[in-house]
Amino acid sequence: MSGDTQTLLRRDCPGRVLLDHITGKWGVLVLTSLTMGPLRFHQLRARIDGVSDKMLTQTLRTFASDGLVERTVIPTAPPSVTYELTDLGAEAARELEPFLRWVRTTAATTATT
């Protein structure tokens, strides 16, 4: 186990907070959904089956605070708001892709056994 990984195991490691945000129930799905480009709230909610308005709002706020998502308000009447990945968020989503591929493959395999 590398020293970096050992650091994440410590209770006081700041990386654990980010890890918790990304790997929470909706975090991975939000990051993955935004990889295709900016989306409005209702588009994002429609893409992630089962997420409530409250949880989506909370996840987006957390990711904006973490620097993973950028919230842009377009001054129209009514205002239009879009969400998109920052460079950091896009990097996180790229890093998650092999894991998500493994999840899809494993889920397909275990569902047939």
Side-chain angles (χ1 to χ4, degrees):
M1 181 181 308
S2 74
D4 291 341
T5 302
Q6 287 179 340
T7 301
L8 280 173
L9 298 176
R10 291 196 349 243
R11 181 183 315 192
D12 63 343
C13 177
R16 283 178 70 170
V17 174
L18 185 58
L19 181 66
D20 182 50
H21 293 169
I22 292 171
T23 61
K25 183 171 183 179
W26 303 109
V28 171
L29 300 177
V30 168
L31 287 175
T32 301
S33 295
L34 288 171
T35 59
M36 299 292 218
L39 293 172
R40 295 183 64 185
F41 185 88
H42 72 278
Q43 293 171 313
L44 195 49
R45 186 185 59 220
R47 189 170 283 186
I48 305 171
D49 192 26
V51 68
S52 67
D53 287 356
K54 177 184 175 187
M55 290 312 301
L56 182 55
T57 298
Q58 183 178 332
T59 302
L60 289 167
R61 282 183 182 155
T62 298
F63 281 175
S65 173
D66 291 339
L68 300 172
V69 169
E70 183 175 347
R71 179 181 187 266
T72 303
V73 179
I74 302 161
T76 57
S80 179
V81 178
T82 60
Y83 298 90
E84 65 183 309
L85 295 176
T86 62
D87 290 343
L88 186 62
E91 180 183 0
R94 278 191 306 276
E95 294 294 329
L96 285 169
E97 185 51 40
F99 173 68
L100 295 174
R101 192 171 23 258
W102 176 85
V103 168
R104 287 188 298 270
T105 302
T106 303
T109 304
T110 58
T112 60
T113 58

